Structures are given as C-alpha cells and as structure tokens.
Amino acid sequence: MRLLLITILLTFGIDSQSSEVKLLEFKTDYCTYFPEGTISSPNLCRDCCIGHDLWYWIGGTKSEQDQADIDLKTCVTKKSSSFYGNLMYSGVRLGHLSPIMSKYKWSWGWNNKNRHYQTVTNSEKDQAKQLLINLDDHQDLADIFIKEHLE
C-alpha cells in the first residue's frame, strides 16, 4: 500500500506552487446575457454591470454576493427605471439557480475553481489591487472598487 501511494505521488507529482492562491486578470462581458442599456442609450447600464463583474471576479461571502446583486439592481434602477432594475436583478438571481453556469460565476477570478463563498483575505485583496491598478480599461470604476471594497 505504501509503495502504491509513493508511486502515485511520484507519477502525478507534488507541486507546492499549484496550491498557491492566485487571482487571474479581470475581464468583463458587461451585462452577461442582458442588454447594457436601451435603444436610445445602448451603454446606459454598462458601468453598473462592470461594478457587479468586479465583485463576481474577486468573490467573497454569500452576503457580499447578495449585496453585489442588490447594488446592481440599485444602480440600474437609478440609471434607467425600477422595471429594468428589477428585471436585471431577477435575471441575476435566477442565473444562480441555472444548471448552465456562466464562466463569470461568483469568485471566478481565482485559480482555485472550487472556491465559492469564502472571505477574501488581506493578501488576496492586495493581489486584486495590484491587478486593478494596472487595468487598461475601466480604470475609474476599478479605482472606486478598490476604495470601497479593498481598503
């Protein structure tokens, strides 16, 4: 039995680096599967969706996910209407139940794909800050996210 275990470990290797928690570069698809605005203002709610995508990238606790979804609804409501805000919020909440998961699920940015609801540590927040400070697009929204959620 011991020989079998040693053989398996040597065959597949033990890499201490693979257990390192690392955050991937931030990306956004804006309002996933949903229009970013209206016909007359096609990008009206895009900023709301980027803020929401930042939360989904870094993840956190269940209550933080709930708050991120509420913040999206509030932002969309302010920019367009309560109908549109409620519709987007309902779509996001129903999306949590879907068997077809978007690649941008909660805490998608971490290299540990089994990570779900987990408090983001200070060192993880530092990783996020470094990636967001050097972000090419949406720097103004990244700066707000850093100030409000990572400091």
Side-chain angles (χ1 to χ4, degrees):
M1 185 65 163
R2 184 181 292 168
L3 182 58
L4 177 62
L5 181 61
I6 291 170
T7 303
I8 291 171
L9 290 175
L10 290 175
T11 302
F12 294 103
I14 302 173
D15 183 5
S16 62
Q17 295 287 341
S18 66
S19 64
E20 180 183 353
V21 177
K22 187 170 179 169
L23 189 58
L24 307 172
E25 184 178 314
F26 173 74
K27 295 178 183 165
T28 182
D29 65 350
Y30 306 107
C31 302
T32 310
Y33 307 125
F34 209 84
E36 276 111 45
T38 63
I39 292 171
S40 60
S41 299
N43 296 323
L44 184 66
C45 300
R46 187 173 269 195
D47 289 356
C48 302
C49 295
I50 294 169
H52 190 250
D53 285 354
L54 283 163
W55 262 120
Y56 272 64
W57 168 67
I58 195 169
T61 64
K62 173 74 170 116
S63 63
E64 288 172 320
Q65 182 188 43
D66 293 342
Q67 189 59 54
D69 294 347
I70 290 168
D71 290 350
L72 173 66
K73 174 184 170 182
T74 302
C75 183
V76 171
T77 297
K78 284 180 184 176
K79 290 192 174 231
S80 61
S81 68
S82 61
F83 172 79
Y84 199 63
N86 286 323
L87 185 62
M88 187 173 287
Y89 176 78
S90 297
V92 167
R93 299 308 285 190
L94 286 172
H96 296 307
L97 305 173
S98 173
I100 302 168
M101 286 292 155
S102 167
K103 64 182 176 180
Y104 297 115
K105 65 181 182 162
W106 187 249
S107 67
W108 70 265
W110 297 103
N111 63 340
N112 176 356
K113 296 305 175 196
N114 294 322
R115 182 183 181 119
H116 199 54
Y117 298 118
Q118 185 175 326
T119 301
V120 179
T121 67
N122 287 334
S123 65
E124 292 169 342
K125 287 180 181 182
D126 289 342
Q127 282 186 59
K129 284 183 210 175
Q130 288 306 308
L131 288 169
L132 292 177
I133 286 170
N134 299 316
L135 196 63
D136 291 334
D137 295 327
H138 319 297
Q139 190 60 60
D140 54 338
L141 297 171
D143 290 343
I144 292 168
F145 188 81
I146 289 169
K147 193 173 287 184
E148 291 180 354
H149 305 293
L150 302 178
E151 293 185 341

